[in-house]
Amino acid sequence: MNILTLNPPPTRNRKKLFNAEVFRESLAGSSSEISCYREAVQNARHILDERFTQKSDIESIIKDEAWFVDQLLINAWQQYDWKDADDISLIAVGGYGRAELHPYSDIDIQILLTKSDKSKYKEDIEHFLTFLWDINLEIGQSVRSIKENQQEAAKDITVATALIESRTLCGNPALLDTVMSQIEKKKVWKPKLFFQAKKDEQINRHRKQNDIEYALEPNIKEAPGGLRDIQTIGWISKRHFGATDFLDLVKRKFLEENEYQDLIKGRNFLWKIRYGLHMISGRREDRLLFEHQRTLAQIFGYKDDKSSLAIEKLMKEYYRVVLTLRELNDVLLQLFDEEILRSRERAKIIPINNRFQIRNNYIEVKNKNVFEKTPFALIEIFVLLAQNEKIEGIRASTIRLIRNSRHLIDNEYRRDIRNITMFMELLRSPHMMVGRLREMKRYGILSAYLPEFGRIIGQMQYDLFHIYTVDDHTLQVMENMRRFRHPEAAEKFPVAAALFHRLPKVELLYIAGLYHDIAKGRGGDHSQLGKRDAELFCRRHRLGKWDTALVSWLVEHHLTMSSVAQREDIQDPEVVKKFALNVGDQTRLDYLYVLTVADINGTNSTLWNTWRASLLRNLYQLTKRALSQGLEETVGKAELIRENQKSAIALLESTGLSGKQVRDIWNNPSEDYFLRESPQDITWQTTAIANHKSNIEPLILIKNNTENKNEGATQIFIYTQNSHFLFANIATALDRLNLNIQDARIYTTDSDYSMTNFMVLESNGKPIGKNPQRMEEINKTLNNYVSSTKALKPTEKHRPSRKYRQFTHRTDTTLSNPQHTPYSILEVLCTDRPGLLAKVAGIFVEMDITLHNAKITTLGENVEDVFFITDSDNNPITDAKAGQKLQDEIKKQLDAEIAP
């Protein structure tokens, strides 16, 4: 038997792997060919593993692994009569075709025939493949003719891709040449189709990995930024450009030299990890499991120290590598997209401003000096993306400029008011805000602008509780917050979804989410350290004192609500009282609840279950009740009122109103007006009152409080002379209009004018939207009811559905008289239903009860309403019989439609 080798000739190291003379002597002196081959495999494995542990060049190890397998296959092939035949050949395909093998990678081969009839070689093929398995090679095989290859490649892109990287090991090389000519890019999987299929394949693969590079036990091959992403670039460049290696992409100006170095360095790092995984597990293993991370960290020489464990250092390097690789993958795929799919596309350019334009739905700089001349554009581009959902992405040339301009972000940049304003504008943006932050992280802008965030990139949390790194967990929490905007969130998170829309400044929630774990990995209490970082952020970004206090308090206490709900007896009034005193007011409670739910679901989705949901909901309800019964003391109340008044006056003065005129218009409404309404809404309402000339006609304003028809609610503001039956008439009118009241706020001025805000939804659960006819109908109906000089009867009795009658629970009420308050507090808890508020308001009118304020809360299917009331003499209702009579009447009327 001839002992053959392939070019290039074996180096000294390769001769140790496979020495032809030694192997020939071994075969001659052995009674078992299989034993000789197995010994050769074991010897090569030992040599390569030793080179790996001695930190030899990983690229040479991977290539030598493939070269060694070549020698075994070639010599095994020579045992059969086909060795001189010209109608059969043995080819390497896939990763083995690239001459890249890890210890237990599949060795993908194909026996290629000229004709589909395999009977001539059937017996030898079976013996050959069995022999390869017997000598302990992990073989993946196929047997096809030239025609079958052409047919299969046309049907299945994975077959076409494997053949692109094929090479002949032995036999007639003309057979593979024929196959390649039949599947070349003009005939099978033309460039545009091939590129789109590979791009879609990558998107689907990322989706299966949750589109996250930073899982704590990542699949280094399939995860975003993994080896498969590198291979995808290779397949596309080889198919379309005929590139033989990544250096060809530098020559073709697709890669810059530094990017090429990053790509090769990153690939080799992943190769080291993959080789190590195979070696220590003794099988093919691409998951970087916890039990392997510690061993690999030791092999690679990482050491524990006071700041971090060796395993954390390994994983941090891994995460930073895959982040870089994904970034390069983004750039290259975008460049390929422009070259392959859009090269002949007619350019449609839409100018945005002096710095940016949209070219065929992708944003780009107008010239290469934009970032150098106007560095604030490094943040501005992401703001523009977040404000225009029609922009599909960033052009690759601009991504490259962003990467090369990161050095411009320094301390002076971070203090520049333009950049500060831009970043805050991003946090208030309507479209894909978290997606934009992810892109900022990927391209290095977020860590440059917020160095404290840069320190948590790739920071693992070595436990079974967290499934993401700190940075990815943080963005996942913010993504969860954004999801609460959508109607579908109300089913799984009814309380959080309802509260989200009541938060006065949602960007404060996002900032708390961004900073709640910012100090992880530093040692010490990360909540306290994070609080300080959050305070610095708020001050640098010109937030008011109340805003700063709220954000820093949320960061400090982001674990408190979960801890109390799960570890303490929340049925103990003292536990609830202590928690309520810590919280201080309803606004903080709302923010903290939403942050807690988002945090739990961003830690590990399996942690959120009905039990944990019920614990948090019960704690929320008990605390809300405790606050409403006298424990509430708005934290920073005076400061918040001053800030809101100051902001509103500044906005109103820009319209021509003086500060004195503004205060005259306000006419001393209750403090709650400036606590519960935003400066923007106060400005909107005050401007309308100033322009309202009639003292008789009510002022009615209607607007949708979001640009997205599937989010938020419609706001209705009514300003008119107060009356005993005003609220009842408004509620009745809204009921007649089939509008569901989600929230109601009542304020009264010194001159006895009522300022009432309602948040409503249509019966389908959506805002009114841009519907002028519907707006006119609402305005007209409300005008008629509000202008009435008497109480109007509620809508005729609603006929409840069968489902409603069976599942509505009975009404629960509580009437209390906290010390030092001029009102009685009536709580009504029941299932939401049409006309509910109109009925309660009607009962107040019938029983001569005066309503001074209300907090209307709809949480999913449940209503938790709080009314601040007095008797006809404006005194609290202290008579027990009168109070019980009121509660009995409410229960009677509201429960009349419930099935017995």
Side-chain angles (χ1 to χ4, degrees), residues 19 38 93 106 294 314 325 425 477 551 662 683 694 849:
N19 186 302
R38 284 182 177 177
V93 297
D106 279 345
R294 190 179 300 279
L314 165 68
L325 290 175
E425 195 172 341
V477 169
V551 171
V662 170
T683 302
S694 174
I849 300 294

Side-chain angles (χ1 to χ4, degrees), residues 842-855:
I843 293 170
F844 290 162
V845 173
E846 291 172 7
M847 301 186 69
D848 210 14
I849 300 294
T850 301
L851 176 64
H852 294 270
N853 202 346
K855 293 183 180 179

Side-chain angles (χ1 to χ4, degrees), residues 106 134-135 163 219 414 608 641 681 720 727 798:
D106 279 345
D134 286 343
I135 63 175
L163 288 170
N219 186 311
R414 298 180 194 106
W608 187 254
I641 290 173
D681 277 348
T720 189
F727 186 79
H798 293 275

Side-chain angles (χ1 to χ4, degrees), residues 599-616:
D599 188 19
I600 291 173
N601 283 273
T603 300
N604 187 330
S605 59
T606 61
L607 296 176
W608 187 254
N609 52 39
T610 55
W611 172 242
R612 189 167 274 110
S614 67
L615 287 175
L616 283 174

Side-chain angles (χ1 to χ4, degrees), residues 729-749:
N729 280 2
I730 296 173
T732 300
L734 295 175
D735 182 38
R736 183 175 289 277
L737 288 162
N738 288 319
L739 291 171
N740 295 327
I741 300 170
Q742 304 300 302
D743 192 13
R745 302 168 185 175
I746 306 167
Y747 316 105
T748 307
T749 68

Side-chain angles (χ1 to χ4, degrees), residues 6 28 71 89 117 178 324 338 386 471 494 553 559 561 586 608 664 666 669 674 735 753 764 768 795 805 826 832 881:
L6 282 182
Q71 313 316 308
S89 64
D117 183 6
T178 304
T324 298
E338 294 165 11
D471 57 313
W553 181 85
L559 297 173
M561 191 169 195
Q586 183 66 47
W608 187 254
D664 288 344
W666 287 343
F674 298 106
D735 182 38
Y753 265 74
N764 62 2
I768 294 166
T795 307
R805 291 196 303 269
L826 173 68
D832 192 18
K881 290 184 179 179

